[in-house]
Amino acid sequence: MRILIVEDEPTLQAQLAEALAAAGYVADRADNGVDAHFLGDSEPYDAVILDLGLPRMDGITVLRKWRAAGRTMPVLILTARDGWHEKVAGIDAGADDYLTKPFHMEELLARLRALIRRAGGHASAELACGPLLLDTRNSRATVDGQALSLTSHEYRVLSYLMHHPGEVISRSDLVEHIYAQDFDRDSNTVEVFIARLRKKLPPDMIETVRGLGYRLAVPGGKE
Ligand code: CA
């Protein structure tokens, strides 16, 4: 899952980046509204954390422009203390949730998980696919209760597939959701991650759809 962090305060931006990385996400960062608008308009984020008080273009304007252009990714806004009118304006502009500064990082991560799973139509923090269980609260995967030992890239691939079960996911989709923008991306490595995951998962869980990509097989469901 790939997140855009928009925050002009360097310390908080760094704390957010660190917490997201520890939780298994990749993140791009922007410290002003113009760059934020460009990134959110051109990259396929799974969620955005958007501070409202920003240089060059304020957060509400950024959000309005995204929504007007049909960008539907979940957006969590960060508002100043006592900024209830900001919250109202933010929600009216298309925010999905808000947090008031200062906040606890654990709460931010919980709200982010909820936004991402709701965007994928999942009600629970635990995603299940047959014997495979992914607990998004602690970034752990198990098969029949046995913990899987996954590298961070393998986890990101598996997490993206599990948020989209039964859907065909192309290699380029996976690349865009498992790497940050400044990373030297190589779509061939996706094949390597898939091959390694297949060795760790029950047989036939990850199907190859020839010429299109990969699909997490939903037990009992044939598509
Ligand atoms: Ca700010």
Side-chain angles (χ1 to χ4, degrees):
M1 293 290 151
R2 184 170 164 209
I3 314 294
L4 175 62
I5 300 169
V6 186
E7 172 58 62
D8 58 315
E9 210 267 289
T11 309
L12 180 55
Q13 193 202 76
Q15 287 168 346
L16 286 164
E18 195 179 326
L20 262 57
Y25 300 103
V26 286
D28 294 337
R29 309 191 211 179
D31 62 6
N32 68 79
V34 172
D35 289 351
H37 173 256
F38 174 77
L39 283 171
D41 210 32
S42 50
E43 298 290 325
Y45 294 106
D46 296 296
V48 177
I49 298 166
L50 178 66
D51 181 34
L52 291 185
L54 292 170
R56 298 180 69 194
M57 190 193 292
D58 69 86
I60 298 275
T61 305
V62 171
L63 183 53
R64 279 202 192 108
K65 284 164 90 75
W66 283 337
R67 295 313 194 210
R71 308 291 297 174
T72 58
M73 65 286 197
V75 174
L76 170 65
I77 54 172
L78 305 179
T79 67
R81 197 206 300 264
D82 303 329
W84 68 266
H85 49 285
E86 256 188 350
K87 283 175 207 158
V88 173
I91 290 164
D92 281 343
D96 299 277
D97 200 357
Y98 65 85
L99 264 178
T100 304
K101 292 179 181 180
F103 52 84
H104 289 282
M105 205 53 87
E106 285 303 315
E107 183 176 1
L108 177 128
L109 291 172
R111 288 178 182 274
L112 195 61
R113 286 194 292 274
L115 287 181
I116 291 171
R117 71 177 186 251
R118 284 205 298 265
H122 305 279
S124 161
E126 275 190 324
L127 307 180
C129 186
L132 174 61
L133 210 62
L134 186 97
D135 190 337
T136 60
R137 291 165 298 191
N138 56 19
S139 314
R140 289 212 185 104
T142 55
V143 171
D144 289 326
Q146 297 282 328
L148 291 183
S149 167
L150 301 174
T151 66
S152 58
H153 282 103
E154 290 164 8
Y155 174 80
R156 288 177 205 157
V157 170
L158 183 62
S159 172
Y160 193 76
L161 291 173
M162 287 205 69
H163 277 84
H164 303 271
E167 283 177 40
V168 178
I169 310 291
S170 72
R171 261 203 291 175
S172 62
D173 283 340
L174 280 174
V175 166
E176 286 185 323
H177 290 272
I178 66 169
Y179 293 121
Q181 198 197 26
D182 52 6
F183 198 87
D184 182 19
R185 299 163 180 203
D186 177 359
S187 69
N188 290 319
T189 57
V190 166
E191 279 180 55
V192 176
F193 299 142
I194 293 278
R196 288 193 203 142
L197 276 172
R198 279 183 168 142
K199 285 191 187 143
K200 298 179 182 184
L201 294 172
D204 304 325
M205 282 218 78
I206 301 177
E207 301 170 351
T208 299
V209 183
R210 196 180 290 267
L212 294 175
Y214 304 100
R215 176 166 57 195
L216 191 67
V218 181
K222 275 218 160 111
E223 282 186 271

